[in-house]
Amino acid sequence: MPWHVPLCTSMDIPGLEENMTTAFISESLWTEVPPTGRLLRPAEVCERVGLSRSQVYELIRRGEFPPFIKLSPGTSAMPEAWLDQFIVAKARDAVSDTQSSPPIKT
């Protein structure tokens, strides 16, 4: 069952439409993970994944990154479990891509 939480508005993420709901992330693995652990502010999320703030928000806009939860006006955070799940999924993809690639001819 996907978790439904209040997402940031378009004022928080440039390009995100006001009428978007959690539907755009319904197919993502992190929706199956309860929002547990610490709440990570955007700067810490960026630091942990090595992406810039604009890259993170673009991935969120495209539905490829866990969204931030709106805590109050001007304050958003991401549950640590969601970010951890995103990182695990990316690591699995990398291993899968490596194993399925043909060997390099030398």
Side-chain angles (χ1 to χ4, degrees):
M1 170 184 177
W3 292 87
H4 296 281
V5 295
L7 299 178
C8 300
T9 67
S10 63
M11 292 180 66
D12 301 307
I13 305 172
L16 184 64
E17 299 298 322
E18 282 287 337
N19 62 356
M20 290 188 87
T21 65
T22 55
F24 82 102
I25 59 166
S26 63
E27 300 301 318
S28 305
L29 294 174
W30 57 85
T31 61
E32 302 301 322
V33 176
T36 58
R38 293 180 47 235
L39 292 175
L40 308 175
R41 298 295 303 274
E44 187 172 357
V45 170
C46 294
E47 182 180 322
R48 285 186 57 182
V49 296
L51 297 172
S52 71
R53 189 178 182 100
S54 61
Q55 288 172 310
V56 167
Y57 283 126
E58 175 61 21
L59 290 172
I60 291 170
R61 187 187 67 76
R62 294 189 334 222
E64 299 174 15
F65 198 87
F68 289 101
I69 297 171
K70 190 72 168 165
L71 301 175
S72 67
T75 305
S76 299
M78 180 181 299
E80 190 170 31
W82 290 2
L83 185 60
D84 290 344
Q85 181 61 36
F86 171 81
I87 293 168
V88 166
K90 288 297 182 184
R92 283 187 187 142
D93 289 348
V95 169
S96 175
D97 290 347
T98 301
Q99 291 174 347
S100 64
S101 299
I104 299 173
K105 295 180 182 179
T106 56

